[in-house]
């Protein structure tokens, strides 16, 4: 019996992946609540934070590109983008590849806001994983990436 989550570890890969999914859901929801609790520091919702982080990592993107990248509906990303624009965190630029779908880019204020959020998150996560080795973390990233890739065919719109 796994003491952390109360599941029976059988060694079967399918059972072990179920165990991972049983941990990822609550982990995601708790992390989301933590971002929401800390949101007053920068005034960011979880959705706006996600948009800002995508733009920080990948540069200017369209709403449909962001939706596909994060498995979110275009409508949700559009709302979060407009919320971010209302806070002066992103701006819209003409998209030479598509007249109707603007490129969204971070403003200086948006870059500063997401940097502050990520710095705070990294500090907290550094403490949470202080006793883990680089190999353990790499294995976790590899497994979660494989699971995510296995669901690439799921339509999110």
């Amino acid at each position: 019996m796994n003491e952390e989550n109360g599941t029976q570890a059988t060694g079967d890969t399918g059972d072990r992946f179920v165990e991972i999914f049983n941990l990822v859901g609550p982990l995601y929801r708790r992390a989301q609540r933590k971002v929401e609790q800390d949101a007053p520091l920068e005034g960011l919702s979880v959705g706006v934070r996600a948009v800002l982080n995508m733009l920080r990592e990948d540069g200017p993107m369209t709403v449909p590109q962001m939706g596909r990248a994060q498995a979110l509906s275009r409508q949700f990303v559009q709302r979060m983008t407009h919320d971010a624009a209302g806070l002066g965190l992103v701006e819209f630029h003409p998209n030479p590849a598509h007249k109707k779908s603007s490129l969204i880019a971070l403003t200086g204020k948006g870059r500063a806001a997401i940097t502050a959020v990520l710095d705070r998150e990294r500090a907290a996560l550094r403490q949470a994983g202080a006793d883990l080795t680089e190999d353990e973390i790499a294995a976790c990233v590899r497994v979660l990436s494989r699971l995510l890739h296995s669901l690439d065919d799921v339509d999110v719109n």
Side-chain angles (χ1 to χ4, degrees):
M1 179 73 74
N2 183 316
E3 293 178 19
E4 288 187 23
N5 65 14
T7 61
Q8 184 72 36
T10 64
D12 176 72
T13 303
D15 288 343
R16 296 309 306 257
F17 283 161
V18 167
E19 187 177 356
I20 291 168
F21 278 112
N22 287 342
L23 292 169
V24 169
L27 172 64
Y28 174 76
R29 287 185 292 279
R30 287 181 189 179
Q32 209 174 15
R33 286 187 191 108
K34 180 66 174 155
V35 170
E36 289 168 348
Q37 289 170 358
D38 293 344
L41 298 175
E42 280 83 25
L44 304 182
S45 68
V46 172
V48 169
R49 180 221 175 273
V51 165
L52 297 182
N53 193 51
M54 272 189 283
L55 296 174
R56 183 192 64 80
E57 289 182 0
D58 300 320
M61 298 175 76
T62 65
V63 166
Q65 288 170 331
M66 285 189 271
R68 282 190 300 274
Q70 290 295 312
L72 297 168
S73 75
R74 186 194 57 74
Q75 294 83 0
F76 176 77
V77 175
Q78 189 72 51
R79 282 195 318 271
M80 295 304 102
T81 300
H82 282 292
D83 288 353
L87 296 168
L89 304 173
V90 300
E91 55 194 9
F92 299 87
H93 296 282
N95 181 355
H98 196 283
K99 289 182 181 183
K100 291 184 179 182
S101 190
S102 298
L103 286 172
I104 293 87
L106 285 174
T107 62
K109 182 179 177 183
R111 186 165 301 285
I114 192 62
T115 297
V117 167
L118 292 172
D119 287 349
R120 190 176 58 250
E121 290 174 358
R122 280 188 191 102
L125 292 170
R126 200 172 290 117
Q127 291 177 346
D131 63 337
L132 297 173
T133 68
E134 179 56 36
D135 287 345
E136 290 172 318
I137 294 169
C140 180
V141 169
R142 188 176 69 251
V143 169
L144 292 175
S145 295
R146 172 82 53 90
L147 290 172
L148 180 61
H149 180 69
S150 75
L151 298 171
D152 277 351
D153 62 335
V154 175
D155 183 14
V156 296
N157 286 322

